[in-house]
């Protein structure tokens, strides 16, 4: 491996990444700011923008059709629907179309690789944009047009104003004020004769604001106008020369899920109507996802690195594949996709990012709504890259950026991941079980003396995969693929996860998956109760006394005298042989140490309140605890009580949950045991915990019994 270069030799991050603080504007592309010419220069300056843009297949297709339509081409697509997704492709694509519409042929050098055959004349096209986030159906949005201030309230009002100026707005002014979609004739007159690019973004936010209007407001029921408006707009775009409409469709993770579903259901209906009526519109509408799964890494690399020398990528990826094969042959469990035909292509195309790092961002963290809303992928990756380069001297020449390089001991990365994404409740688990700037986590305890930090790295992967709601966590084979690299033995991964989980407070295993919960695990509950019992010696004593009573009360050959207070508790008569079990708090023994048994000797030699000499001494046999085993006995007693209290805690929580949901506790318990559906998720999770606790309590009962018998092993007679 010495002949392969590390990422420090082949990649150069952008200078901004090493700045004291990374400005949000660097990653938060804002379409409205670009339209208003107030955006960060990385987005406002077309030269810089395209220098940092990876030309994905669908962005090239989009820009080619937009350029062709605005230039007067008769073919091409008139209406695009962009699906939002991981990688920032949606907003980036819209900004790209704005630059093409505004600057046209001036960008021919920057767009040389895009397959564009012709571009519009600079300054010829109008750009009409409606962004739901920058909209207000109640108070409207003010625009300065032709030296005048104009306020618009609806998408059609704003689009008409930006496409046709003051004259254009007059055509639809009444419709804008009253919230009624205009006719196709009015919209066509509003657009005038210039080429026009129409962008509608984040419409769901505007729809939500309309619903919040007072009942009597004229724009309250604007939702009924969407079919008419879209039908008019799409039909106009299909028939009007030099016209393109681009509408973005929100993610299913959008906070307004109901309206998202309504919008996605409405558009196909509108297009079907148009297709039936005009035989054109539906065929010319195209649905695009700007960034495909195979292009995600390249998009990130273009945005985050100034240069990436990928000449060695193929050799590095072959080394990883050879390593995976060797580890599998040695018995390590690795996720099967590593051996699928396309995985080599993923490794090469994603360089310098490992495919499992991209998968973490695009398929797991992207399920958190706040992640995309804050451009989390780029910002988190940028901070991760900076931390890797700052640890350049201590890291062992990494060949790829992998999940374990996300150093959550750093406050900036931790804040970015947990704070911005609203996952602060997970931080306690991170500190206790995975990684802590002060050290001493359960993972580091598990891997003490190991050749590499397998437990810490593996538990970090499990932690990251646990952050989305309803996450199942991750399997050991997936973890092995995520952190495996030439030079490490993956046999330690499964062991690291299992050893950490045994000690952990917040990490747990469910089936073959490892994951973190925000509520303390049964181990955490156990440890807390165990600590409290240090201050409750009488409770421990009472429990051990009960167990001794159970163990020795059934002896038929002896009269058992359990834990006598003094010599008066033992009768001096010839009728029975007596087994005197001396309480360990009264006196313990050592093998061969009979001369020191003062309490026992007192009973042996004395009887009655008058302390008369005992006459039937040979009737007495004494059973004493060995002093060296007393600590283990008390520890076992504390552990048993702690598990009993954990069991009671969980049952109390379940009872409270049942009461809060208006359900019968015992009925829910029965349904949970039968694996029935419809049970509150937290109740089922607690039922799983309870099953483990009952098992551990049973084990500890056996342990206490054993410890009592092992401790009471010295006979004196």
């Amino acid at each position: 491996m010495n002949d392969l270069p590390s990422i420090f030799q082949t990649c150069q991050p952008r200078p901004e990444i090493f700045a004291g603080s990374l400005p949000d504007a660097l990653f938060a592309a804002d379409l409205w700011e670009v339209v208003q010419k107030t955006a960060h220069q990385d987005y406002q300056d077309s030269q810089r923008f395209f220098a940092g843009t990876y030309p994905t297949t669908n962005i090239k297709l989009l820009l080619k059709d937009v350029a062709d339509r605005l230039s007067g081409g008769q073919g091409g697509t008139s209406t695009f629907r962009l699906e939002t997704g991981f990688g920032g492709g949606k907003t980036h694509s819209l900004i790209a179309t704005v630059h093409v519409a505004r600057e046209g042929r001036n960008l021919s050098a920057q767009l040389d690789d895009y397959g564009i055959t012709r571009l519009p004349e600079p300054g010829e096209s109008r750009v009409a944009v409606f962004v739901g986030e920058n909209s207000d159906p109640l108070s409207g949005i003010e625009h300065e047009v032709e030296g005048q201030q104009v306020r618009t309230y609806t998408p059609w009002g704003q689009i008409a104003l930006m496409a046709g100026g003051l004259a254009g707005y007059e055509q639809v002014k009444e419709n804008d004020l009253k919230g009624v979609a205009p006719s196709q004739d009015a919209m066509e007159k509003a657009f005038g004769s210039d080429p026009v690019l129409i962008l509608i973004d984040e419409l769901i936010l505007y729809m939500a604001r309309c619903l919040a209007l007072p009942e009597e407001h004229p724009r309250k029921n604007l939702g009924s106008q969407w079919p008419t408006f879209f039908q008019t707009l799409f039909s106009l775009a299909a028939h009007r020369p030099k016209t393109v409409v681009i509408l973005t469709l929100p993610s299913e993770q959008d906070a307004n899920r109901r309206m998202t579903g309504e919008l996605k259901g409405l558009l196909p209906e509108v297009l079907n109507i148009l297709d039936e009526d005009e035989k054109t519109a539906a065929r010319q509408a195209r649905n695009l996802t700007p960034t495909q799964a195979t292009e995600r890494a390249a998009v990130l690399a273009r945005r985050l690195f100034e240069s990436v020398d990928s000449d060695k990528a193929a050799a590095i990826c072959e080394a990883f594949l050879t390593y995976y094969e060797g580890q599998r042959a040695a018995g390590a469990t690795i996720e099967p996709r590593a051996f699928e035909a396309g995985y080599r292509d993923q490794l090469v195309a994603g360089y310098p990012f490992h495919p499992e790092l991209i998968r973490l961002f695009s398929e797991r963290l992207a399920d958190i709504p706040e992640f995309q809303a804050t451009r989390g992928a780029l910002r988190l990756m940028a901070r991760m890259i900076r931390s890797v380069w700052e640890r350049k001297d201590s890291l062992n020449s990494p060949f790829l950026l992998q999940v374990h390089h996300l150093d959550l001991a750093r406050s900036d990365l931790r804040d970015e991941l947990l704070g911005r994404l609203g996952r602060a409740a997970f931080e306690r688990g991170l500190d206790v079980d995975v990684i802590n700037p002060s050290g001493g986590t359960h993972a580091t305890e598990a891997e003490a003396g190991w050749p590499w930090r397998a437990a810490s790295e593996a538990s970090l992967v499990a932690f990251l995969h646990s952050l989305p709601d309803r996450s199942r966590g991750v399997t050991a084979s997936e973890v092995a693929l995520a952190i495996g690299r030439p030079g490490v033995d993956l046999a330690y991964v499964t062991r690291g996860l299992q050893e950490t989980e045994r000690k952990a407070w917040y990490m747990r295993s469910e089936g073959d998956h490892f994951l973190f919960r925000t509520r303390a695990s049964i181990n955490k509950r156990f440890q807390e109760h165990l600590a409290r019992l240090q201050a409750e010696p009488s409770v421990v004593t009472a429990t051990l006394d009960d167990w001794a009573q159970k163990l020795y009360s059934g002896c038929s050959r002896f009269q058992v005298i359990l834990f006598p207070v003094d010599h008066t508790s033992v009768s001096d008569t010839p009728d029975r042989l007596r087994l005197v079990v001396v309480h360990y708090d009264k006196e313990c023994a050592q093998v061969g140490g009979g001369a020191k048994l003062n309490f026992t000797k007192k009973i042996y030699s004395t009887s009655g309140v008058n302390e008369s000499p005992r006459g039937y001494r040979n009737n007495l046999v004494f059973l004493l605890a060995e002093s060296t085993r007393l600590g283990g006995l008390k520890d076992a007693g504390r552990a048993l009580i702690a598990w009993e209290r954990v069991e009671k805690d969980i049952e109390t929580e379940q009872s409270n949950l049942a009461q809060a949901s208006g359900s019968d506790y015992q009925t829910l318990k029965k349904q949970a045991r039968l694996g029935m559906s419809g049970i509150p998720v937290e109740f089922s999770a607690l039922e799983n915990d309870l099953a483990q606790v009952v098992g551990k309590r049973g084990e500890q009962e056996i342990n206490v019994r054993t410890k009592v018998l092992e401790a009471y092993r010295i006979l004196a007679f």
Side-chain angles (χ1 to χ4, degrees), residues 59-324:
I59 285 182
K60 290 195 290 186
L61 187 154
L62 175 68
L63 295 188
K64 184 178 185 302
D65 271 20
V66 167
D68 188 62
R69 287 281 299 180
L70 295 179
S71 301
Q74 298 302 307
T77 303
S78 62
T79 301
F80 286 92
R81 292 165 288 161
L82 298 189
E83 292 275 7
T84 61
F86 170 84
K90 180 262 295 182
T91 304
H92 214 80
S93 298
L94 295 179
I95 293 173
T97 64
V98 172
H99 286 306
V100 167
R102 282 176 171 173
E103 300 191 39
R105 291 185 181 180
N106 291 342
L107 295 173
S108 46
Q110 284 70 37
L111 301 176
D112 186 53
D113 295 333
Y114 284 67
I116 297 173
T117 54
R118 59 180 176 177
L119 288 157
E121 293 296 328
E124 182 182 68
S125 302
R126 293 268 192 156
V127 178
V129 179
F130 182 84
V131 180
E133 187 175 7
N134 302 96
S135 66
D136 188 343
L138 178 63
S139 303
I141 298 296
E142 194 168 72
H143 311 265
E144 183 176 344
V145 178
E146 300 170 21
Q148 295 188 35
Q149 300 296 320
V150 181
R151 191 169 291 274
T152 62
Y153 301 89
T154 64
W156 44 86
Q158 186 164 311
I159 289 169
L161 177 66
M162 297 181 76
L166 294 177
Y169 181 65
E170 285 299 319
Q171 298 291 328
V172 301
K173 183 175 180 179
E174 281 299 306
N175 301 82
D176 184 48
L177 295 173
K178 295 180 179 179
V180 178
S183 67
Q184 183 172 325
D185 182 60
M187 287 294 286
E188 189 163 12
K189 289 178 180 177
F191 286 179
S193 58
D194 292 333
V196 60
L197 171 66
I198 302 166
L199 307 179
I200 302 177
D201 188 28
E202 297 177 346
L203 184 63
I204 290 295
L205 298 178
Y206 179 78
M207 294 168 69
R209 288 172 182 151
C210 288
L211 288 176
L213 291 171
E215 289 297 331
E216 68 280 2
H217 197 280
R219 290 183 288 278
K220 168 71 174 181
N221 298 315
L222 195 135
S224 63
Q225 298 299 300
W226 297 126
T228 304
F229 170 60
F230 287 130
Q231 189 171 333
T232 298
L233 188 62
F234 296 162
S235 180
L236 183 59
H239 293 289
R240 185 181 186 274
K242 301 183 179 182
T243 306
V244 183
V245 173
I246 304 176
L247 172 71
T248 67
L249 299 178
S251 165
E252 296 297 346
Q253 297 299 319
D254 188 277
N256 301 290
R257 289 181 178 85
R258 181 179 63 80
M259 283 179 286
T260 296
E262 289 176 0
L263 179 59
K264 286 191 172 185
L266 168 65
L267 294 177
E269 294 175 13
V270 169
L271 291 167
N272 287 335
I273 292 171
L274 289 172
D275 193 38
E276 291 172 6
D277 292 348
E278 305 176 28
K279 306 301 180 186
T280 56
R283 287 197 300 271
Q284 293 199 20
R286 173 171 281 174
N287 198 52
L288 283 183
T289 300
T291 305
Q292 302 296 318
T294 56
E295 299 169 320
R296 292 165 179 163
V299 168
L300 290 172
R302 180 65 68 91
R303 293 290 295 121
L304 297 170
F305 289 98
E306 196 168 64
S307 64
V308 174
D309 181 0
S310 57
D311 289 345
K312 291 282 188 178
I316 290 171
C317 296
E318 285 295 339
F320 269 77
L321 293 174
T322 301
Y323 161 74
Y324 295 145

Side-chain angles (χ1 to χ4, degrees), residues 411-473:
S411 60
D412 60 335
L413 278 166
R414 185 176 292 219
D415 292 344
E416 184 67 40
L417 184 72
L418 302 181
R420 282 186 182 269
L421 301 186
R423 293 300 188 265
F426 282 89
E427 188 163 16
R428 180 61 179 155
L430 182 67
D431 281 336
V432 172
D433 294 336
V434 186
I435 187 168
N436 190 315
S438 303
T441 66
H442 291 121
T444 57
E445 290 176 15
E447 67 196 10
W450 290 11
W452 64 290
R453 299 176 61 248
S456 294
E457 293 182 10
S459 59
L460 174 63
V461 177
F463 177 83
L464 292 167
H465 280 261
S466 301
L467 295 178
D469 293 334
R470 298 179 296 279
S471 172
R472 293 186 61 206

